[in-house]
Amino acid sequence: MSTSEYQVTGMSCGHCEVAIRGEVGQIPGVDSIDVSAQTGRLVVTSTEPVDDAAILAAVDEAGYQAVRA
Ligand SMILES: [Cu+2]
């Protein structure tokens, strides 16, 4: 198990959380996603280490910006 934390900017509500969940959830190996629009915190748990770039690209695809926390 591997856990990575990111700080996301631009989320404002539950729909934003769902959008990020939807994109990040498509990355192979991702096991669970904890995301909060209120804090901007995104925690990705994966069975194998996932490339930061893949996570950041997925967040970008959802329409938000993220940095590794
Ligand atoms: Cu929203």
Side-chain angles (χ1 to χ4, degrees):
M1 280 297 192
S2 165
T3 300
S4 306
E5 281 188 45
Y6 305 86
Q7 192 64 36
V8 182
T9 51
M11 288 192 292
S12 58
C13 69
H15 292 104
C16 302
E17 297 173 354
V18 170
I20 287 185
R21 241 173 229 288
E23 291 295 336
V24 176
Q26 289 175 30
I27 298 169
V30 170
D31 189 57
S32 73
I33 299 161
D34 187 33
V35 61
S36 166
Q38 200 165 10
T39 62
R41 197 159 168 269
L42 167 66
V43 181
V44 178
T45 304
S46 54
T47 48
E48 289 167 33
V50 173
D51 208 352
D52 273 343
I55 305 280
L56 299 180
V59 172
D60 184 70
E61 189 67 31
Y64 307 93
Q65 299 296 316
V67 291
R68 183 76 195 247

